[in-house]
Amino acid sequence: MVWDGLKRDDAATKAGLKPHALYVALRKPHVKAFYLAELDVLRTSERARNILALTEVRDQTDNKMARVAAVKALEQLSDDDNASGSTASHSPGVVIQILAAPARPMPAVHIEASHNHITENE
């Protein structure tokens, strides 16, 4: 699918699978992660050619709107690379939601986190 640009059913047939089997496989986290990693490799390897194609559009004189769009796209590529990097990073954390106060006060709860378990003490 990634390297040959095949549709899912055609890729399944080429791999000796039934189309539904590939559909089910792509729902598995490790298969999906591998697929997305391969897409990232393809995207990265094609980036230089994409930039060159945009510069060719920018440098032509027939279509001024295409030139403007190519310049905007090239500028956006630069901004995206500097702002977010090539991969998003996630870090563990806690979400604290502050809601409106209840009609009666709630008892205070002290929560201690220790490695793999959480205990509550009132």
Side-chain angles (χ1 to χ4, degrees), residues 53-55 57-60 63-77:
L54 284 170
T55 57
V57 172
R58 179 201 63 199
D59 294 343
Q60 59 84 26
N63 186 336
K64 293 188 187 306
M65 289 305 294
R67 291 182 74 183
V68 170
V71 168
K72 286 181 179 180
L74 284 165
E75 292 296 323
Q76 188 65 44
L77 283 176

Side-chain angles (χ1 to χ4, degrees), residues 11 23 30 45 53 71 73 76 103 119:
Y23 170 80
H30 68 283
S45 66
V71 168
Q76 188 65 44
T119 60

Side-chain angles (χ1 to χ4, degrees), residues 1-23 26 35:
M1 286 172 37
V2 174
W3 298 106
D4 294 335
L6 298 175
K7 293 182 179 180
R8 188 183 65 226
D9 289 358
D10 296 333
T13 301
K14 185 175 180 177
L17 299 171
K18 292 184 179 181
H20 184 71
L22 181 54
Y23 170 80
L26 286 169
Y35 173 75

Side-chain angles (χ1 to χ4, degrees), residues 87-93:
T87 58
S89 63
H90 298 281
S91 59

Side-chain angles (χ1 to χ4, degrees), residues 24-122:
V24 170
L26 286 169
R27 291 182 164 275
K28 296 180 180 180
H30 68 283
V31 175
K32 184 177 178 181
F34 179 75
Y35 173 75
L36 293 175
E38 290 296 297
L39 281 178
D40 189 50
V41 170
L42 176 62
R43 184 179 302 109
T44 301
S45 66
E46 291 294 323
R47 180 164 281 157
R49 290 183 62 215
N50 293 341
I51 293 171
L52 289 172
L54 284 170
T55 57
E56 288 175 9
V57 172
R58 179 201 63 199
D59 294 343
Q60 59 84 26
T61 58
D62 297 337
N63 186 336
K64 293 188 187 306
M65 289 305 294
R67 291 182 74 183
V68 170
V71 168
K72 286 181 179 180
L74 284 165
E75 292 296 323
Q76 188 65 44
L77 283 176
S78 177
D79 292 346
D80 288 346
D81 289 344
N82 292 334
S84 63
S86 61
T87 58
S89 63
H90 298 281
S91 59
V94 176
V95 175
I96 298 175
Q97 225 176 9
I98 301 175
L99 305 172
R104 60 184 179 88
M106 300 290 288
V109 176
H110 175 73
I111 299 176
E112 290 182 27
S114 173
H115 295 281
N116 295 329
H117 67 281
I118 297 175
T119 60
E120 291 185 24
N121 299 321
E122 290 192 48

